Amino acid sequence: MADMFFVWNRRIHYYLGLYLLFFTWLFVFTGLLLNHPRWEFAQFWPNRLQTTTQHEIQMPAGATDVERARDLMRQLGIVGEIQWPAQQSGPFAFQVSRPGLIVDVKADLERGRATVQRNQLSAWGVMHLLHTFTGAPAGDQRNRRDWMVTTVWALSMDAVAAGLIVMVFSSYIMWYRLKPKRFAGVVAVLLGFISCGALIVGLKWLT
Amino acid sequence: MRRLYVITRDLHLYIGLFLSPFVLLFAVSVFYLVHGLATRAAPGPFDPSRAVAGVPITPEIARLQGRVRVDALRPVLEQLDVRGEVDFVRHVANEHRLIVPVRLPDRDTVVDIDYEQRTATVTSRKHGIGDAVVYLHKMPGPHNADLRGNSRLIRLWRVGADATAYLLLFITVSGIYLWVVLKAERRVGLLFLIAGMVTFWVMVYAVAA
C-alpha cells in the first residue's frame, strides 16, 4: 500500500510537471518580462497599432450598465472583459480588454454615436497581459469578472498554482525516500525557507 | 552519460528543494491575486500615527523629482525610523507637503511632511501574510521603473525573483532530461506533455485570438 503511494507520488510529479510545462514557461518568462520593463526587445505599448472609428449605434438594451455595455459591444463586434472607469461622468464610457487588444468605448446614447479606440498589441503585449489578466482587480467592487473566458483563464491560473504546490510537496516525499541525500536536502530546504522568510518579514537590516 | 545524469539529478533535487519556498510563495499568492483577495488598504485616519517636529528637511526637496527626490528623502525617513521601499511621492505644492508612501511586505507607512514647517505625521498599517506575499509577487513589477529598488529589500528581492525564474527554467529543462532517460515513463509522459501543450494553446487562443 505504502509502495503504491510512493509510486503514484512519483508519477504525479512527472505527469503534472509535463502537463504544466507550457503554462509554467509562460508565467516564468512573462514574470521576467514584467520585472524588467526596460528590456527593449519586449516593448509593446509604443509599438501598438491604434485606430479610432466612429459608429452609429442603437440605444443599448438592458437593465444594468453591464447589460447595456454587452449590448453595445454586440453592436460594435467587440468581445472581452469590461473595465469601468473609476468615475463615470459624461458619455457612457468603458474599456474592453483581452490579452492583445484594449478597446476604449465612448458612447453618446442620446445622439446614437460611439467612438471606438482600438489598441492592438504585439505578441509581447499578448504574453505580458496573459500573466496579469484576471478580470478582478483587488479592492475594486465595480469591476468584477464578466466574461466567461476570463473566468476560465483565471481558473487555469489557479490550477497551475495548485499544480505547482502539489509538485513541491510530492518532491519533498521523493526526497525523504532518498536517505543518503536527506542531510544535504535539509540544508537546501532550510536555506530556501530562511532566505524567503527573511524577505517576507522584511527584516530591518534588509531595508 | 551516466555522470551527466547523476549531476543533473542532484542539481534538480537540491535546487528544487532550495527553490521550493519561493515557488510556494508565488503559487499561494496567485490565489489572492486571481480572486482580488488582497486589498492592502492604505493607512487611514484610524491607524496609529505620530507627529514629529524638527524634521531635517529643506524646501529645496520640493524641486527634486523621481529617484533623486527619493534618494534625498531616504536620510529623512531614517531619522523618522521609517524603513522600506518608497513608492510614488505626491507633492501638494500649495500646502508645502510631500506625501511619501513607504512599503514593507507586511507594513505600509505614509509620511506626510510639511517641508516649510519641518513637521511630519507618520501613519502606518500592518498587513497580513496574504498581503505580504502578494506584494512580493508583484515586486519589482513593470510600473515606476525609475523608482523601483530604492530600498535594499526590493533590490535583494529583485535578485531573488529573477533567480527563482531562471532556476525554475533550469528545473523544467533538467526535469525533461530526467524524464526522457526514464524509458518506462516515456509513453505516458509524452501523452501528458502533448495534452498540456494542446490545453495551453487552446486556452491562449480562446483568450487572446
Side-chain angles (χ1 to χ4, degrees), chain A residues 14-120:
Chain A
Y14 299 150
Y15 300 156
L16 210 49
L18 289 164
Y19 187 79
L20 297 178
L21 185 68
F22 285 85
F23 287 95
T24 309
W25 278 346
L26 172 80
F27 288 112
V28 167
F29 187 59
T30 51
L32 282 170
L33 293 182
L34 285 160
N35 279 350
H36 294 274
R38 291 193 170 126
W39 280 356
E40 280 296 321
F41 67 91
Q43 297 296 321
F44 66 90
W45 191 247
N47 309 326
R48 70 195 184 280
L49 199 64
Q50 195 173 66
T51 54
T52 305
T53 49
Q54 301 278 339
H55 301 262
E56 299 284 332
I57 54 165
Q58 291 177 341
M59 179 64 86
T64 64
D65 279 351
V66 173
E67 286 172 9
R68 280 189 283 275
R70 283 265 161 242
D71 189 50
L72 202 49
M73 286 163 65
R74 184 189 53 74
Q75 293 181 43
L76 297 167
I78 307 167
V79 284
E81 181 75 24
I82 299 169
Q83 295 284 310
W84 297 102
Q87 286 179 328
Q88 185 80 258
S89 60
F92 185 60
F94 57 93
Q95 190 177 70
V96 183
S97 66
R98 56 191 298 177
L101 183 69
I102 298 169
V103 185
D104 286 300
V105 179
K106 280 184 188 155
D108 188 334
L109 301 182
E110 286 178 10
R111 293 185 184 174
R113 292 190 66 78
T115 306
V116 176
Q117 188 182 70
R118 299 172 78 94
N119 292 287
Q120 190 80 46

Side-chain angles (χ1 to χ4, degrees), chain A residues 11 14-15 18-19 25 28 34-36 38 98-99 138 145 156 158 161 172 181 184 188 192-193 199-200 205-207, chain B residues 10 18 20-21 27 31 34-35 38 83 104-105 140-142 152-153 156-157 162 165 172 182 185 196 199 203 206-207 209:
Chain A
R11 283 183 179 161
Y14 299 150
Y15 300 156
L18 289 164
Y19 187 79
W25 278 346
V28 167
L34 285 160
N35 279 350
H36 294 274
R38 291 193 170 126
R98 56 191 298 177
R145 238 170 256 137
S156 75
D158 281 347
Y172 288 162
K181 307 212 182 258
F193 270 99
L199 286 163
I200 293 177
W205 58 268
L206 284 174
T207 57
Chain B
D10 283 356
F18 173 78
S20 61
F31 299 114
V34 165
H35 301 288
R83 295 167 197 280
L104 285 171
R152 200 180 305 158
L153 175 79
L156 276 171
W157 180 251
D162 279 1
T172 58
L182 280 177
E185 298 293 347
T199 311
M203 296 283 296
V207 177

Side-chain angles (χ1 to χ4, degrees), chain B residues 176-189:
Chain B
I176 291 170
Y177 169 72
L178 295 173
W179 160 65
V180 168
V181 172
L182 280 177
K183 284 184 185 163
E185 298 293 347
R186 270 189 209 160
R187 187 171 294 177
V188 182

Side-chain angles (χ1 to χ4, degrees), chain B residues 57-157:
Chain B
I57 197 165
T58 59
E60 276 69 45
I61 201 152
R63 293 200 208 118
L64 305 176
Q65 291 290 331
R67 183 60 181 262
V68 181
R69 176 149 71 188
V70 169
D71 289 342
L73 280 166
R74 181 64 62 191
V76 179
L77 296 172
E78 278 174 16
Q79 193 90 11
L80 296 169
D81 200 24
V82 175
R83 295 167 197 280
E85 177 80 359
V86 177
D87 221 320
F88 185 77
V89 178
R90 197 154 61 88
H91 182 205
V92 188
N94 58 345
E95 296 174 18
H96 316 296
R97 285 166 62 209
L98 286 175
I99 298 163
V100 188
V102 187
R103 296 180 198 280
L104 285 171
D106 64 346
R107 180 176 290 278
D108 276 355
T109 304
V110 173
V111 183
D112 190 338
I113 304 172
D114 184 326
Y115 51 79
E116 288 287 353
Q117 301 293 322
R118 299 178 63 207
T119 58
T121 307
V122 182
T123 312
S124 71
R125 171 174 284 200
K126 185 110 174 74
H127 296 293
I129 189 83
D131 287 305
V133 292
V134 165
Y135 176 76
L136 287 172
H137 190 127
K138 290 160 88 171
M139 284 291 120
H143 307 296
N144 292 331
D146 178 44
L147 296 185
R148 283 288 180 268
N150 59 65
S151 66
R152 200 180 305 158
L153 175 79
I154 295 300
R155 279 199 296 278
L156 276 171
W157 180 251

